[in-house]
Amino acid sequence: MNKGLIHYMKAISLFSGAGGLDIASFMAGIPVAFSIDIEKDCIETLKINEEFHNTTAICGDLSEFSSEQIKGLSGLKENESFIVIGGAPCQPFSKNGYWVTNKIRRGINDPRADLVNQFLRVVTDLSPDGFVFENVESLLHPTNKVIVDSFIEIIQEAGYRYKIVRANSLNYGVPQKRKRLFIIGTKGNFKTEEPLITHGDSEDLLDSHLKPFVSVGEAISEFDNDMYFEKEELTVGGTYHEDLLEVPPGMNYKALTAWAGYPNPKFVADKRFWNFLLKLHPDRPSWTITAQPGPWVGPFHWNSRRLRVPEIAAIQTFPKGYHFFGNRRSIQKQIGNAVPPLMGKAMIEFLKESLDGLPVSKESECIGIK
């Protein structure tokens, strides 16, 4: 890459949700030109946040938009550098796989991979400089091997080098245990073996350059005052309210069993889901924030209440003051389904680094390093 210039590029975001991976792209210095999601509340969320004021945000089914339409709506110029980012849910979405455009291309012959095929369709049609694909870690399970193998074969045929990254959000400054899979593809060359890990277990940090994991108390304590009260947080009068009060911070219902030495046990150990009455400990990271928790599924606040919206957003590392559109259930789903922005930032920076040295677009020639 020419000295004194930066590699200027933009991002196209597919399956954007509430914008976790999109915010990550902004954090990594790559503005998002186009975002699409099928959920109206998600797109309204993007539109009410200032980061997206220059982003074309579309509510719609990706299968109904050609790749050429997507590029046109993004406003990308013919010679402009860009990447594609997205977390396609690997589950049946429609019965007919979408892989037929004006040209017939071979997709993944598995009904669960419909949305994966749509992601690949855009990548192979538009040939971006690189891409970041996010999914659940179980995509690597042997039962899904055909999906991953086919994905890799398709992107290699399209000219991409790739890395498969099994990541835990704890290692990137997120105050939450959350494991995810990323497949990162580049037309450039990876400079390192994996994205930069910044945090580790404090008990294993002797002579280490890593910072200790971020505790949930550090992340959300500022929201524990009456200014942020939400009626949905209350458990008083509920079936297990009194039991929740007795669970110590960092424990679950097993604290009230014979296994824990509890007198007159109320429950039997290992007979409930592990996150039943699960309570945060302020000095430790959070467990995974879920999209659709049951009424007594944690994590609960250590003060025996449900978590507030700004708390779950902070645990996911959305910027403070980020706004979410919709009712409480919709917002929980949006935040719970999101890629933690700090985690996504590490993945996009890893991709961005691999693209250093590729020809810069004409537009970049007037942009100097500050």
Side-chain angles (χ1 to χ4, degrees), residues 282-299:
D283 297 331
R284 303 174 199 158
S286 171
W287 288 275
T288 300
I289 297 298
T290 59
Q292 296 175 299
W296 297 100
V297 168

Side-chain angles (χ1 to χ4, degrees), residues 39-255:
E39 296 288 343
K40 183 178 184 296
D41 283 1
C42 290
I43 294 302
E44 292 301 320
T45 288
L46 302 187
K47 289 180 177 179
I48 61 177
N49 285 284
E50 62 181 1
E51 291 89 344
F52 296 90
H53 285 178
N54 294 316
T55 303
T56 300
I58 299 291
C59 179
D61 186 336
L62 179 59
S63 69
E64 297 175 359
F65 290 80
S66 71
S67 302
E68 292 73 21
Q69 283 179 302
I70 290 169
K71 186 169 185 181
L73 289 165
S74 72
L76 286 165
K77 299 178 176 63
E78 191 60 35
N79 61 350
E80 198 166 4
S81 299
F82 71 101
I83 63 173
V84 172
I85 60 176
C90 191
Q91 60 190 35
F93 188 79
S94 63
K95 293 183 179 179
N96 299 316
Y98 183 79
W99 190 253
V100 180
T101 58
N102 292 331
K103 307 173 205 175
I104 296 178
R105 286 189 167 86
R106 178 173 53 81
I108 300 171
N109 187 24
D110 188 308
R112 297 169 298 161
D114 179 55
L115 302 184
V116 180
N117 276 336
Q118 292 183 34
F119 182 92
L120 287 167
R121 184 252 306 179
V122 175
V123 168
T124 55
D125 282 351
L126 299 186
S127 193
D129 294 83
F131 64 84
V132 175
F133 174 84
E134 179 268 345
N135 216 285
V136 292
E137 193 182 36
S138 59
L139 191 63
L140 293 179
H141 189 275
T143 57
N144 298 319
K145 188 174 188 297
V146 62
I147 296 175
V148 177
D149 288 350
S150 298
F151 188 108
I152 296 306
E153 184 180 349
I154 290 166
I155 62 171
Q156 284 185 308
E157 288 179 359
Y160 291 95
R161 296 177 177 86
Y162 73 94
K163 294 280 187 181
I164 296 178
V165 181
R166 300 177 76 157
N168 189 327
S169 61
L170 286 174
N171 293 126
Y172 306 98
V174 180
Q176 173 192 189
K177 299 175 183 178
R178 191 181 190 93
K179 294 182 178 180
R180 284 296 183 268
L181 168 74
F182 294 87
I183 303 178
I184 302 172
T186 181
K187 290 286 184 70
N189 292 292
F190 290 107
K191 305 297 192 300
T192 54
E193 284 299 309
E194 62 181 9
L196 179 65
I197 289 175
T198 54
H199 293 69
D201 188 336
S202 59
E203 296 182 4
D204 299 320
L205 293 184
L206 291 178
D207 301 320
S208 171
H209 65 284
L210 299 179
K211 300 175 183 178
F213 292 146
V214 179
S215 72
V216 69
E218 182 181 345
I220 72 171
S221 290
E222 66 177 292
F223 303 111
D224 193 23
N225 62 65
D226 292 344
M227 182 190 312
Y228 295 98
F229 171 79
E230 295 173 2
K231 65 181 186 300
E232 294 87 356
E233 74 186 53
L234 298 175
T235 64
V236 177
T239 307
Y240 298 106
H241 169 71
E242 297 299 327
D243 301 318
L244 181 64
L245 292 176
E246 292 193 66
V247 174
M251 294 289 289
N252 62 3
Y253 78 96
K254 289 176 69 174

Side-chain angles (χ1 to χ4, degrees), residues 1-7 360 364-370:
M1 185 169 66
N2 297 333
K3 289 185 178 180
L5 301 176
I6 62 173
H7 196 133
V360 294
S364 69
E365 294 176 4
C366 62
I367 302 175
I369 295 178
K370 296 181 179 179

Side-chain angles (χ1 to χ4, degrees), residues 19-30:
L21 204 51
D22 299 50
I23 290 295
S25 192
F26 284 112
M27 287 178 170
I30 302 178

